[in-house]
Structures are given as structure tokens and as C-alpha cells.
Amino acid sequence: MDVAAFNPVASASEGLAERQKPMNRSNRKLKMGSVVAATPLLVLLIGFLVIPLSYIFWGSFEGTKLNFAHYGRVFASAVNFNILLHTLRVGLIVTVVSLLLGYPVAYLLTKVRSLSLSILSVFILIPLFTAFLIRTYAWMIILGREGIINNALIWLGLISAPLQLLNTTFAVVVGMTHVFVPMAIFTMYSAMARIDHDYAHAAQILGAKPVQAFLRVYLPMTLPGVFSAGILIFITAIGFYITPALLGGPSDTMISQLIVDQMTTLLNFELGYASSMVLLFVTIAILFVASLFIPLEMIWSSATSSPDSEPRAAARLLKRAKRMLAPLVAAIEGGTHAVTRALLTKNGGWLWAYTVAILMFLTAPLIVVVILSFSSSPFVVFPPPGFSLQWWQKLANAADWHQSFFFSIQLGIAAAFVATIIGTMGAFWLVRTKFLFKKMLFLVSLSPLMVPVVIIATSLYVFEARLKILGTFTGLVIGHVLLSVPYVIVVMAAALRNFDASLEPAAAVHGARPHQVLRLVTLPILKPALLTASLLAFLTSFDELLVGLFLLGRQTPTLPIKFWADIKYQIDPLLSAASTLIVVLVTASIITVQLIRVRYEKRTAASTAE
């Protein structure tokens, strides 16, 4: 060996370089994997949300003409401005009522055992995932001049003539509240479930009255969840279309109805663009105000926010105001304690009674629809004069209903399949990749939930017409996928955050290749989440009306569009039979998912114990 030729420094450098080569290749693979996972989601959001929105924004002032007169018409016209104010007022009322009704139920869900939680969840999930049109149709029956409420009041002798309940603001608020209470319950529950009730118990041990322990300890800890639910409901309510259109009168027109009329009936596209932009700007302003109190990502995925994070500026101002109002709060606490002392028992009997009442409010309209599907009357009469299967026979022979049903199934499966793939890949990218502005990109991925559906439908209508895919099955699937992907991302991101990160490296150490780790370890563990995400995507597509109205063209009407056409022109028990079929399918799907979840939890607990 030539000692003079031996260079230990050079040899060490070469050895280090050789060891770094596999690491560099691994880093390149990770970066390439991140790009592959992110690309479908980014293409979907940029290509079919950002660019279409920019088209209608550009068109709202006629492009280079810079004609802002259409915005002036929105605010200068007394009719248009009053519609905007009415939309905000109804949205606020529905939000407050939904939160007040849902809070005690969400609280009870945090106190019950697993079996009771599963049973109660099923009764809340069934109304939540039943189509808006079916629930609105049920309220049309209940609130009509010959409806259940008027007939009951007349039978009791409380009134002599039917009350005008339908086509009123009251009907709109009731119908929308029925839609949003389940959403409020689950959103608040997701925040309440992580709060330890021992804090309130400790306050009582130290001398606080039950009301004081609740108002000063537990309630403040739940406010971020309540605020999240309120923002989610409000921004959805101000863009709502179905319920106001069917339950409200001319004076109850909301801005979503105005936009649809301008785009489809009046063909005043520029004013429709401007109205859409005004609604979008209002939504952005609401989200900006919300960001002063809570992290925006907490609205859709509270697990992404840290409980130890610094309070927002607005939250600190509220704390100061609370200190200033301490004497008034103490007086209110004393009066409330005196009134509620008999109700605040350890067994919570009143809370169970209240929850049962809310569950009856949520499920009773669906029960009415089911009963009417077996009516012997040719008209919608409740209670039915007799039992008959005539409407089920007519449904079995109705070829147009069959075509709409199978087309909706086909569309839902296609949209759910694509949305699950894109959303799952996006969730992997958002959860497992480290990069700047991660929270902001998480919000961007959920942006279809923030933008009112009527704006998305309007923008896709304009953009797909330019791409010449308007009225095609592909264009319709793209619209439904855009609305479904955020739900997949929320479900899969939550599942990935709870995933045991040591399992995949352990499989790799024992010789499994990356695709084998994904196929044999990761995806089987994520199976319940994938099933839930797919079901959410399917039901979102199956229930969608506005996107279908704008993008359908001359294709077979989807089931919601078929419902919509029939409800607008006639109401008969045939609609009840079709609605009952959908309710049964939704119920079966929810129970199946719940059973799979319970089975998976038991299997996981058993393997952990071993």
C-alpha cells in the first residue's frame, strides 16, 4: 500500500458523500411525492374555482370598460338592498336559534356513554344527511293551510280559520333552523368533547354554584366551538336557496334567489355577477371578523388549532369587557341559579327530556313524509284517511323518476370516487408535508365550503361555457367534485393526524416497499375514514341542486332537480314515496357506517389490550 497516496480527509469526504446519496434520493422522492399528491387538488381549486371566480369578477364591471354601475344598482336599488339586508337578518336569526337549540344537545353528547352516543348520533345524522328538498317538502306539508299545525289548532278550538304560516319569514326561519341544528350540534360537540368536565366540578368544590361553574368555567371554554358553529351556519345560511324559495313569500326573497333569477330568467348577467361578488365580499368580511376571535381553520377542523395559542386581539377585548361587567354578571348568575336550582340535578333528567324534544323536532317531518307515502288519498292530507300502496306502485312505474334516480346514483358515484382520490391525496399533502403557509393552504383547500354555492354555480356556468363542457356529464362531475372534496379533506386530515406515525417506518424496516406500506398498512387503517369520506362526498353530490340547475343542460334531470320541478308545480303523495325511499337509503347508509366504526373501535381496543 502506498502510504503517501493515502489521504484520510479525502476518504472520509467520499464516505460521507456515499452515505448522503440515499438520503438525497429519499428527499427527492419525498418532494416528488408531495408534488404528485398536491397537483390534483391545486388543479381543481385553481382551474375550477379561482379562475371561474375571476371571470365573474372581471365581468361584474365589464372588464376593461370598468363599468361599476352594476354594483351601484345592487346598493342604490331599494329592492336589491332590502333583499341583501333581509338575507343578513334571516341568516343571523337562524344562526342564533340553531346555536341555542343545539348547545344543550351537544353538551349531553359529551356526557353519555359510547352506546348512547352512537344511538343519539344516528337520530341527528339522518336529518343532517337527508336532502334539503325532502326536509323542506315536509315543512310545506306541516305549515300549509291544511297542514298539521293548522288542523291541530282548529281541532283544539284555538283558532277558527287557518293561519298563514307558509310563505312567511317564520316558515323560512323554521325550515332553515331544522336544516342547521344538526350542523350546530356536531360542530359544537367536536369542540366540547375535548373539554374536561372536572374543571367545572372543581369550581363547585371550591364553592361556586352550578350556574357559576357553568357560566364562568365551562361556557368560556366552549365559546370557540360555539363561534365556529355560528360562522359556519351564518355563511351557509346567507347563500341558502332551496328553503327560502319554497317556504318564503315574495317579501322573503334572499340574495341567492335574486342571483338565480338574474342569471337564468332575466339573463342580466352583469348584474348577476355583481350580486354574486357582493355576496362573496360579505362572506370574506365575515370570515375576516371571525379571524379576529378564532383561527379560521378551527371552523372546519378544530384539531388544527392549539389550545395553548395566544388569544386573538378581539378575544382579549372581550375579556376586558367581561371584567367591567362582572357585577351585572354576578346578579344574572344569582337569578339564574334561583330559577334553575330544581332542574340542575346530577342525573340530568331535564337535559334528556330536552334532547328527546329536539330529536322529535328533527325527525318528525321525516316521519310525516313516510306516513304520507302510504296514504289512500289522491291529495296531501294528514293524517291519511286510509292505508294504500298506490303511490309506491306509481313510483315503481314512473320511468322519469327511475331515470333521475339512476342518473343521480351514477353522478354521485363518479363524483365521490374522484373527490375521494383528490381529497385523500390532498390530505396527505397538507398533513404530512412541512412547508410555509400550511394553515393558509389548508383554508384554501376548504374554500368551496366558504364560498356560497350559488356563486360557485354561477362561476362554473360561465367558465364551463367557455370551455364548451357546459351541459356535459364531465362538467357536471367537476362541479360536484369541487363541492365534495373539502368534506373528504376534513375527514381524512383528522384521521391522518390521529394515525400512529411509527407503523409505517416499522413496516419499511421489515422490508416493505413504499407502495406495499401504503397498500398493506396505511390504507387498511384508514379504511373507516375513507368510507366515511366517500359517503359524505356521495351524499353531497346526491343532494346538490343549484350546481345541477346551472350545469345540467339537456341531460337527464338529477333527482333533486326532478324533486324541484314537481314541488314547484304540484304536491302529491308520490313525492312522499320518493322521499321515503331516499330517507330509507340514507338511514341504512348511516347505520352501516356507524356499525363499521363501532366494530373498528372494538377491534382496535382489543388489539391494544393484547
Side-chain angles (χ1 to χ4, degrees), residues 11-26:
S11 299
S13 299
E14 292 174 2
L16 180 61
E18 289 297 324
R19 288 193 298 270
Q20 285 181 339
K21 284 182 180 179
M23 295 177 62
N24 292 335
R25 286 196 296 268
S26 177

Side-chain angles (χ1 to χ4, degrees), residues 503-521:
L503 296 177
E504 292 170 323
V509 166
H510 287 84
R513 295 181 178 180
H515 70 276
Q516 291 176 317
V517 173
L518 179 66
R519 183 170 59 88
L520 300 176
V521 178

Side-chain angles (χ1 to χ4, degrees), residues 32-49:
M32 184 60 66
S34 298
V35 171
V36 171
T39 298
L41 178 62
L42 294 178
V43 169
L44 178 69
L45 294 175
I46 296 173
F48 293 96
L49 182 64

Side-chain angles (χ1 to χ4, degrees), residues 316-327 329:
R316 292 195 294 269
L317 290 176
L318 287 177
K319 286 185 177 182
R320 294 176 186 174
K322 182 181 176 181
R323 295 191 194 100
M324 294 174 60
L325 297 175
V329 172

Side-chain angles (χ1 to χ4, degrees), residues 124-180:
I124 301 171
L125 286 169
I126 291 172
L128 177 63
F129 289 116
T130 300
F132 295 150
L133 272 168
I134 295 176
R135 288 183 275 176
T136 303
Y137 164 67
W139 283 108
M140 293 174 70
I141 298 171
I142 294 171
L143 299 175
R145 289 183 62 84
E146 301 295 330
I148 298 174
I149 293 179
N150 273 318
N151 286 339
L153 292 175
I154 291 174
W155 182 76
L156 293 172
L158 299 177
I159 58 174
S160 57
L163 299 175
Q164 181 64 39
L165 299 177
L166 198 60
N167 304 126
T168 62
T169 304
F170 169 77
V172 173
V173 171
V174 170
M176 291 179 66
T177 300
H178 183 263
V179 168
F180 289 119

Side-chain angles (χ1 to χ4, degrees), residues 296-336:
L296 286 182
E297 65 271 14
M298 185 178 179
I299 297 175
W300 293 273
S301 182
S302 53
T304 60
S305 61
S306 173
D308 301 324
S309 58
E310 184 70 18
R312 300 291 170 113
R316 292 195 294 269
L317 290 176
L318 287 177
K319 286 185 177 182
R320 294 176 186 174
K322 182 181 176 181
R323 295 191 194 100
M324 294 174 60
L325 297 175
L328 178 62
V329 172
I332 294 174
E333 288 173 347
T336 306

Side-chain angles (χ1 to χ4, degrees), residues 44 47-49 52-53 56 453-466 469-470 475-476 478-480 482-483 547 550-551:
L44 178 69
F48 293 96
L49 182 64
L53 286 176
I56 65 171
V453 177
V454 66
I455 300 177
I456 293 177
T458 302
S459 62
L460 286 176
Y461 174 75
V462 176
F463 186 63
E464 291 192 359
R466 290 179 175 270
I469 59 173
L470 183 65
L476 195 56
I478 289 172
H480 283 228
L482 183 63
L483 296 179
V547 168
F550 277 86
L551 306 184

